[in-house]
Amino acid sequence: VQLVESGGGLVQAGGSLRLSCAASGSIFSINVRAWYRQAPGKQRELVASITNGGSTFYAGFVKGRFTISRDAAKNTVYLQMNSLKPEDTGVYYCSASTGLSQSWGQGTQVTVSS
């Protein structure tokens, strides 16, 4: 599975961004898509995930602000980020899990200025 993210950038606090992650390759084997992020000096952490059945999970620090969604026809997952805070700054990674393996995108930088 190959993943390509887009949509990162610089935004002021309170602003919005939408990240996209397009998948290609053995996509039939994917059962969970997710977004992770990694801030400088910190470990990578799960932000949100969505299953093939549409079930979603959100980390507590983004609940009510971020929304994960998918377009099955385009093999693309989105992360709509609203009410962004400076602490949301980091590299955002898309992942795809098959149950046996997890694939990662190259990451996209999100910077929120105060």
Side-chain angles (χ1 to χ4, degrees):
V1 177
Q2 293 77 47
L3 303 171
V4 178
E5 302 109 332
S6 61
L10 172 65
V11 65
Q12 288 189 330
S16 299
L17 284 173
R18 189 176 82 152
L19 306 182
S20 300
C21 175
S24 61
S26 301
I27 58 173
F28 62 90
S29 60
I30 299 172
N31 48 39
V32 180
R33 303 283 297 273
W35 287 97
Y36 289 72
R37 71 184 187 188
Q38 187 166 19
K42 295 188 176 181
Q43 289 189 331
R44 191 172 299 188
E45 59 186 357
L46 176 64
V47 175
S49 65
I50 186 167
T51 68
N52 281 350
S55 296
T56 58
F57 167 83
Y58 294 95
F61 52 78
V62 302
K63 273 185 178 178
R65 299 189 299 125
F66 292 11
T67 302
I68 189 169
S69 63
R70 62 194 177 96
D71 184 332
K74 296 182 179 180
N75 300 318
T76 298
V77 170
Y78 304 96
L79 186 68
Q80 178 66 43
M81 306 186 293
N82 299 327
S83 302
L84 283 161
K85 305 175 182 180
E87 51 264 43
D88 293 319
T89 293
V91 179
Y92 283 67
Y93 296 91
C94 172
S95 82
S97 300
T98 66
L100 295 177
S101 64
Q102 186 173 23
S103 301
W104 298 92
Q106 81 285 357
T108 185
Q109 178 70 44
V110 171
T111 303
V112 185
S113 63
S114 57

